[in-house]
Amino acid sequence: MHCWIAPRDLGTATSWAEAVLPAIQAGRVLVLLFSATSNASPQVVREVEAAAKSGLAIVALRVDPIVPSREIGPLLSTARWIDAFTPPLAGHLQRLGRTIQQLLEPKAFLEPEPAVPLEEPLDTGGTRPGRRWPVVAAVVLVLGLLGAWAALGGRTQGGQSIDRSASGRATPPATAPSAGHAAAPRPRLFAPVPPWAMVSPAQIEEAFRLQLSVAYRHDQTHMRFVLVPGGTFTMGSPDSELGRYDDEGPQHEVTISPFYLAITETTNAQFRRFKAEHDSGTGLDGADQPVVQVSHGEASAFAAWLAERGVLPGARLPTEAEWEYACRAGTTTCFSFGDMLSTDQANYDGSRGSQGGSPGWYRGKTLPVGRLGHNPWGLYDMHGNAWEWCSDWMAPYSALAQRDPQGPASGGSRVLRGGSWLADPWNVRAAFRAGLAPGDRYDRIGFRLALPVSAR
């Protein structure tokens, strides 16, 4: 294994700009020293972009407690994060070495795969085919590492220097707390972004603000969740939207508090832990296909079963407002992908085209979850595949601004959102609403789970 590092590997007549991009393209892993300086550097953005385009795994060694900028944040959405702004340094470097080794020799660190397969697996930073040893195995960006982090012992943190003891270990400043006051707790940063989570800078910023995980996989259920950031959006559709129905208005402002949402619909395999005999139907019963033929009562009972046993505390169905907010993910168009949709992005009846577009596939069944595109917040199948139960009773909209609306206390139909494999393209729009009796079961109706932020 060879580690390319500047200034050691720069030729005498070679500039950084000339040398670093070829080194990145020849590498397998890029280690970014993520600091306030690198976060604001256009050159670093170019280098990380080159690494992403070349398919390198990226490890971000964060030495300043900061959130990625809007320019570099999307490029680091699949990075392995290591927070190294608190002592001791040796532990962080040991973790860095282990992470690189894991990326280069994944078979030595195998762990059980989740039961939510993706057709095109998200980059886990594993080895790429076609490379042979010895290769340039790690490219290290050293924008501040020019002296090998030179004297991290002289690096400052919070305005105080980090000194080294006689043993060489980094030690905190010898400033004792004042009498009657306990030492301030070490600030906790949100957990690293897992490689499968296609999260946005807005989600990362919210996780940092709330000191929460931006995404995580639940080991017992194999469900994956991402943090939906709090915010305000316009719910419903404008009069001019193609395919609009009257019950999508009036448009109104809704403020949503942060919560977690499963990145995919609940699968047959996951639901059968609750109801082993469940049958979704011929061609729809695969372990990784979304569970269908599920009533609102059964979906709610599954969530309650997980919550009451402490498996997923607070598990529930999302509200209708939460669902549309998460589906839109900051967009205002018909779909989270824009005003047109293709069957390469979602599973619906594309035989008649989408919003005036060209016809696409009619697959005639659900697809395994996560097969097609995700929205800007890393949520899959929000358009099509299976209708998704929400917690609300169906009711007309109000024009008044609302905060975390829960819907009426009673009604005759429960809300369904998202459309299905059998739906026309205008019925998988972000604003489209449907409702059925809570006991109804059909081969196109499923659900996904939400969690409160208190669960993390």
Side-chain angles (χ1 to χ4, degrees):
M1 182 176 75
H2 175 68
C3 179
W4 190 95
I5 186 169
R8 185 194 67 191
D9 293 320
L10 285 177
T12 55
T14 305
S15 69
W16 169 276
E18 292 173 328
V20 68
L21 292 182
I24 288 172
Q25 292 164 358
R28 293 265 297 282
V29 178
L30 180 141
V31 179
L32 169 65
L33 182 68
F34 188 74
S35 64
T37 301
S38 61
N39 195 33
S41 169
Q43 176 63 26
V44 171
V45 172
R46 287 191 290 271
E47 292 163 1
V48 174
E49 185 176 25
K53 288 181 177 178
S54 297
L56 274 70
I58 300 174
V59 181
L61 188 69
R62 180 167 21 208
V63 297
D64 286 327
I66 56 174
V67 173
S69 67
R70 295 190 182 278
E71 290 73 26
I72 201 170
L75 300 173
L76 297 177
S77 63
T78 60
R80 305 285 185 96
W81 287 90
I82 298 176
D83 292 330
F85 46 84
T86 56
L89 170 61
H92 303 313
L93 295 181
Q94 184 178 30
R95 184 180 170 197
L96 174 62
R98 181 175 175 82
T99 299
I100 293 172
Q101 185 181 3
Q102 180 178 2
L103 293 170
L104 295 174
E105 301 174 349
K107 291 183 179 180
F109 295 87
L110 289 178
E111 51 181 23
E113 284 297 314
V116 188
L118 301 173
E119 180 177 312
E120 297 180 8
L122 303 176
D123 180 17
T124 60
T127 59
R128 293 187 293 156
R131 302 278 181 164
R132 297 182 60 187
W133 296 82
V135 295
V136 178
V139 176
V140 182
L141 276 181
V142 276
L143 251 169
L145 219 141
L146 299 176
W149 212 343
L152 187 71
R155 179 177 178 75
T156 62
Q157 176 182 316
Q160 296 176 320
S161 64
I162 299 175
D163 300 319
R164 291 189 176 277
S165 65
S167 65
R169 295 185 177 181
T171 57
T175 308
S178 56
H181 292 80
R186 178 182 298 174
R188 181 176 66 86
L189 199 63
F190 65 92
V193 181
W196 51 262
M198 300 292 100
V199 293
S200 69
Q203 290 165 284
I204 295 173
E205 289 176 12
E206 183 81 325
F208 185 89
R209 183 181 71 83
L210 298 173
Q211 298 289 280
L212 293 170
S213 303
V214 71
Y216 70 97
R217 188 189 84 195
H218 187 262
D219 290 335
Q220 285 181 267
T221 62
H222 296 159
M223 291 183 181
R224 300 172 179 182
F225 295 86
V226 292
L227 178 66
V228 175
T232 300
F233 80 113
T234 300
M235 188 170 181
S237 63
D239 294 341
S240 59
E241 185 164 301
L242 185 63
R244 181 186 191 269
Y245 290 86
D246 289 343
D247 66 354
E248 296 169 24
Q251 287 187 288
H252 54 290
E253 192 174 89
V254 177
T255 299
I256 298 293
S257 299
F259 66 101
Y260 285 101
L261 190 62
I263 68 170
T264 68
E265 295 143 334
T266 300
T267 66
N268 285 307
Q270 291 161 352
F271 188 74
R272 287 189 188 120
R273 296 188 177 198
F274 168 65
K275 190 175 181 181
E277 71 280 8
H278 181 78
D279 182 6
S280 285
T282 303
L284 306 170
D285 215 31
D288 55 355
Q289 287 176 276
V291 62
V292 291
Q293 299 276 16
V294 176
S295 70
H296 186 276
E298 288 171 322
S300 299
F302 174 67
W305 179 74
L306 292 171
E308 290 166 1
R309 284 160 177 73
V311 178
L312 284 176
R316 58 178 176 81
L317 298 177
T319 67
E320 182 180 19
E322 286 175 333
W323 191 97
E324 183 172 330
Y325 176 65
C327 177
R328 291 188 178 280
T331 66
T332 58
T333 47
C334 294
F335 312 99
S336 60
F337 301 104
D339 281 322
M340 294 183 65
L341 188 68
S342 79
T343 51
D344 292 331
Q345 297 168 317
N347 181 24
Y348 60 94
D349 182 358
S351 60
R352 284 187 282 176
S354 164
Q355 309 298 87
S358 301
W361 293 98
Y362 170 59
R363 297 177 173 93
K365 63 179 181 179
T366 59
L367 287 178
V369 298
R371 279 283 181 95
L372 301 178
H374 58 79
N375 76 3
W377 289 347
L379 300 167
Y380 294 81
D381 303 318
M382 297 297 283
H383 304 288
N385 215 28
W387 287 99
E388 298 180 19
W389 287 113
C390 296
S391 60
D392 310 44
W393 292 101
M394 191 77 171
Y397 283 159
S398 165
L400 299 176
Q402 297 176 292
R403 176 180 289 274
D404 295 322
Q406 304 295 307
S410 61
S413 300
R414 293 285 190 177
V415 173
L416 287 161
R417 285 303 203 107
S420 75
W421 57 272
L422 193 59
D424 293 322
W426 47 87
N427 289 353
V428 301
R429 292 174 297 111
F432 184 79
R433 311 176 71 203
L436 285 173
D440 286 349
R441 299 180 185 86
Y442 292 98
D443 61 1
R444 68 216 68 159
I445 297 176
F447 66 96
R448 76 178 69 213
L449 294 183
L451 297 174
V453 293
S454 59
R456 297 298 292 170

